[in-house]
Amino acid sequence: MIKRLLAVDGVMAVCQFRDDGALVEGYGMPDEQQLAGLAKFALDYKRMVQGNADQLSMFTQVNGWTPPGGWIVKGPAMSVCSVGNIACVINNNESALNEVMQELQEAARW
């Protein structure tokens, strides 16, 4: 199911991971070791974002911080985007972040 995300302009790789960081499925990278690394990175970053959102919620007493809807780590040439337990690597020059995030949100509901 997540393989269709590769059809979105600029998406270079996509993976789905379990709550322990194990790779469920992935497409687009030359080998499974790189996809497993993407899954591990995405889980670690997801946990960090959740921890920060929990702290903001606790200290500000303002609703709406949690749960985070997703995250983006933007680099000079590529970025990593994630919603739920699905992450993808995109080429910044070829992709539209809004479109990628919308497709990730839809895929996370499957």
Side-chain angles (χ1 to χ4, degrees), residues 16-52:
Q16 182 176 18
F17 55 94
R18 293 192 319 224
D19 288 337
D20 65 355
L23 179 66
V24 174
E25 64 178 321
Y27 305 98
M29 287 191 171
D31 62 24
E32 195 158 322
Q33 184 178 7
Q34 288 180 319
L35 289 167
L38 173 61
K40 176 76 170 110
F41 169 79
L43 174 68
D44 290 345
Y45 206 85
K46 176 183 175 181
R47 287 181 174 168
M48 187 173 60
V49 168
Q50 182 64 55
N52 289 340

Side-chain angles (χ1 to χ4, degrees), residues 49-68:
V49 168
Q50 182 64 55
N52 289 340
D54 289 345
Q55 287 180 352
L56 283 169
S57 180
M58 181 176 68
F59 291 130
T60 64
Q61 296 296 309
V62 175
N63 293 332
W65 290 106
T66 59

